[in-house]
Amino acid sequence: MRNFILFLLILVSAIYFQAKSEAYDYPLLNEYAATIIGTPEEYKAMLPDNIRIRNMKLTVFRDREIPEVFWYEDKLRYSLVYQKVKAPLIWIIAGTGAGYNASKMQILQKAFFQAGFHVISLTSPTHPNFIVSASSTMVPGHIVNDSKDLYHVMELIWEKVKDSIDVSEFFLTGYSLGAAQAAFVSKIDEDKRSFNFRKVYMINPPVNLYNSVYILDHMLKDTIEDINSFWTKMTSKFAEEYVEADFIEFNNEFFYNIYKKKNPPEEKMEALIGLSFRISSMNMFFATDVMTNAGYIIPKNLVLTSYSSLTDYFKVCGRTTFTDYFNDIFYPYYHSAQPDLTKKSLISTSMSLKSIEDYLKNAKKIRVAHNKDDIILKTGEIDFFRRVFGDRAKIYPRGGHCGNMAYKDNIAYMIDFFKPEGVR
Amino acid sequence: MIKCGTSFGKVFILFAVIYTLNACATAPVKQESIIPAKRPVSEIIREDVVHPVDAYDPWEGFNRRIYKFNAKIDKYIFLPVVNVYETITPDFMECGISNFFLNLGEITNLTNSILQLKSESTLKTAERIVINTTVGIGGLFDPSTSMGIYRQDEDFGQTLGHYGLKAGPYLVLPVFGPSSLRDAAGLTVDFALYNAMFSAIVNEFNMDSSDEDLLNAGVTILLSIDIRHRTKFRYYETGSPFEYEWVRKLYLQKREMDVLR
């Protein structure tokens, strides 16, 4: 009998550990493919198609003059997803270059709506809409300042919406750069106490923004011919699929199927990620240059109208890296205000989670979710999260950069963290 | 794309008036002395290289004005109307209305498949028309797609392209949006055919002319709303200051692929 029980115990634990090690079946093993494709349809968490959402606009600075070329960015756009009953309100911050309604933001909106929360979605401070209408410096990338701007915007939005929704408590989250900003916003809140966030959840943050953009910058090999020929080859591959197929819908399934069929080499996928990062950085370079009249890409004092051709600036922005932006606009801007500032100290004090390491160590309300194979982290940087957050860090074995955000286990874990105890 | 509307001319004049008013409202700006950029176009961009963003756009100034005008029309007229439409109409009805107009628009696909001597597309389109008009109750449902007979989008612009006519200058049309000289000409032909077919159908009902005008106007409005409802694009939501360039690039590239298809 005792042997039998022992046998049973061994069997049960074997099954248990087997199940546990196999439990995470997010399908994309390659980190670049995961980053590009995200989560294939059948692996996604079940989320509602329709949610109660209101798209809104906010004037942040009453006296700001909006240049004519940005006539359509005069107000900051955001959205409110609301419940008809008393519920927690979660603020979500978009990643680099992304708007409040980006596809990853929609995943979060739907997941939190389904969980019964109000959701307010915020555009990234690196997005032209934020730079033009809500950034105090208009030179984004400085996480401390950008987070102050976010906090300011959040206070203004709260003033506007507080009478229309019934809120029990405040939560905060963000992905990618938005996750790093969430940590800084949480720290600001410890002093200002406008929200008293009870829980904060960071999804795939960079440890050091400079390191991450450096990696992304170099994924695109940088000669004119290369970018041009890469684009041409890519679109002709794309055209091939399109011309041959009887019926096509452009979504992740389309890319997933191409990936399964063609099995593209890693350097091609790297270049595609680099290109997509460049495309969103271009917008930022242009917006900052216009707003600060830095004379970097657009001649200083040249007033662009809403009818000016921007095609030449498009080309120059396309040939500009984030590192160029750092050296030629970002650093000079902060250096002029603080002459003894070195590049190194600017990076470590304003672009890195390490600058608030002590806070992160002790802030039990903050949890981080990350992927072991996230492409925006330098070798070894993932250990920062293990070391600083301990068991408050959930490190998934794969998923690339934010590729597994919509995966059912990830959504379940995230919602579980926020749900008040005993409610499911 | 299906276009329709007897009241189109009147609406166009109205838009033209709004546009002129809008253009007058722009005041001249005072400029300080201009200092060359630190990363000037002349140094970074080689003229002998063709860039993916380059396009044949000799009327760019005019096009950009129409682009902005369209964005405003969209914001102040189309989107508010579409929002009301989507709020008051149940999803299955929206879907039925879309299917109905898409089925009428098959006439464009059919004639142009024939003109390009594409037997497969012609056959599929004919099958779709028969199945969707009968089993699909006058086109309110689209059983063909669930049977794997997919829509074959063909228009007169593609037909012209098929026979070797290049797209010509890029052209932003008022209200309709991105096009080219070739595609705009094609649109006129498709539009005339569609209208002829529609009035032939209406004639069957033997209505008196005032009722017929009313029906035409109603159908035109509903069709315009339906097209906007089906188009996911929202002006200035891409987050890119280069949206005009992106739309131009993607439109021209897609049309090139459509012609090859």
Side-chain angles (χ1 to χ4, degrees), chain B residues 216-236:
Chain B
N216 276 335
V219 168
T220 306
I221 290 169
L222 188 58
L223 175 63
S224 318
I225 295 172
D226 176 56
I227 291 175
R228 192 62 193 103
H229 159 73
R230 273 188 277 126
T231 312
K232 283 185 188 144
F233 182 77
R234 296 286 182 271
Y235 283 94
Y236 304 113

Side-chain angles (χ1 to χ4, degrees), chain A residues 9 64 159 170 232 245 284 400:
Chain A
L9 269 178
R64 173 159 293 184
E159 272 307 309
F170 292 98
T232 312
M284 187 186 92

